[in-house]
Amino acid sequence: MEALLPAALAIAALMLTVWLISLAIKDASIVDIAWGFGFVVVAWVVRLSVDGVSDRQNLIVALVTIWGLRLAGFLARRNLGHGEDQRYQAMRRRHGARFPIVSLLSVFSLQGVVMFVVSMPVMLGQAADSPGSLGPLAWLGTLVWCIGFGFETVGDSQMRRFQSDPTNKGQVMDQGLWGWTRHPNYFGDATMWFGIWLIALETGWPGLIALIGPVLMTYFLLNISGKALLERSIGKRRPGYAEYIERTSGFFPLPPK
């Protein structure tokens, strides 16, 4: 448990800093960019704060760093310069002068708490001192992580190319991975976290406790901030999206109907 306190302090410092920046630039959307980067901070703070099995620590830190920096960079390129996300604009209008404190509590602090829980495999997997070397679960977890990373990166790339073509404006993206799942990026995200958890699972009971991380991430992706949130609005903006739902899996990749 020695890894939990430095990680919690690092998350609190990061989210408070990002909140203050968001007030200065009047754009709460930067919290989305900080999301992936925050896990990188957690991974490195724990790596430098606790003793553990160096091979396992280095593997976990490497995978989290690759994922977190790619996601932060992708969202920065997509979001910066395009104004504040409509979700946060609506919050500003609803809360008025109370928005700064409301955003601190309901956006930045909440994401910090979720980040802490999701990071359980990162923290507990690095802090354990046994077994002393990487075993089959670690390599299986790395393979699962690679599959998830492929889905997320390829899915994002395919969507970016689709959206960059003016002739596709207002149309539904149903090609490539998007023909097998309506959310290849979210599926990939969840899969990667289960891969990191498998690496942590080699440590025994700390790894079992860490299962809460990928489970919470998957729940949020399916029901809160990912799939559910997006599909509540996209059907109104994309003709043919209802038909796309009928023929395409909502999360797990399956052959299109």
Side-chain angles (χ1 to χ4, degrees):
M1 298 303 175
E2 58 187 333
L4 303 185
L5 180 58
L9 293 175
I11 292 172
L14 173 67
M15 299 311 283
L16 180 60
T17 301
V18 176
W19 173 69
L20 291 173
I21 295 173
S22 78
L23 297 183
I25 66 175
K26 295 182 173 57
D27 186 355
S29 301
I30 61 172
V31 71
D32 298 332
I33 300 171
W35 171 254
F37 181 70
F39 290 97
V40 178
V41 171
V42 170
W44 279 99
V45 165
V46 175
R47 178 68 179 90
L48 298 173
S49 301
V50 304
D51 294 324
V53 179
S54 59
D55 287 345
R56 184 176 301 108
Q57 288 180 314
N58 292 339
L59 178 59
I60 290 175
V61 168
L63 298 183
V64 173
T65 300
I66 292 170
W67 168 77
L69 292 184
R70 189 214 74 88
L71 180 61
F74 173 80
L75 292 176
R77 290 192 300 272
R78 189 187 71 179
N79 296 351
L80 293 180
H82 296 283
E84 189 175 49
D85 187 281
Q86 293 180 356
R87 294 170 295 166
Y88 305 120
Q89 291 181 22
M91 288 181 63
R92 284 184 187 277
R93 291 192 296 270
R94 185 162 62 249
H95 297 289
R98 296 177 59 247
F99 176 77
I101 189 64
V102 170
S103 68
L104 173 63
L105 297 176
S106 65
V107 178
F108 292 86
S109 296
L110 178 60
Q111 286 206 21
V113 171
V114 174
M115 185 184 298
F116 179 80
V117 177
V118 172
S119 295
M120 284 294 173
V122 178
M123 297 183 289
L124 300 182
Q126 288 196 71
D129 57 6
S130 65
S133 61
L134 298 177
L137 274 178
W139 300 119
L140 175 61
T142 302
L143 175 61
V144 171
W145 182 91
C146 288
I147 293 171
F149 189 72
F151 265 87
E152 184 172 81
T153 54
V154 173
D156 283 341
S157 177
Q158 290 174 340
M159 179 60 77
R160 186 170 60 250
R161 289 198 302 270
F162 178 83
Q163 292 178 334
S164 66
D165 186 346
T167 62
N168 293 325
K169 186 176 182 180
Q171 302 303 309
V172 176
M173 168 54 162
D174 60 357
Q175 304 300 311
L177 295 180
W178 299 85
W180 288 67
T181 165
R182 301 198 298 273
H183 303 283
N185 49 349
Y186 296 153
F187 170 77
D189 209 341
T191 301
M192 279 187 288
W193 278 101
F194 274 101
I196 293 172
W197 169 70
L198 284 171
I199 298 171
L201 184 59
E202 278 196 333
T203 65
W205 70 265
L208 289 174
I209 295 173
L211 177 61
I212 190 176
V215 168
L216 182 64
M217 173 67 90
T218 304
Y219 177 80
F220 265 76
L221 289 171
L222 285 173
N223 300 293
I224 306 296
S225 61
K227 175 179 177 292
L229 179 65
L230 181 63
E231 292 193 345
R232 277 199 295 269
S233 63
I234 196 171
K236 302 175 184 178
R237 298 181 281 111
R238 295 285 188 273
Y241 198 79
E243 291 78 6
Y244 176 60
I245 290 177
E246 289 296 322
R247 66 176 183 269
T248 310
S249 171
F251 193 69
F252 294 98
L254 294 171
K257 297 177 183 178

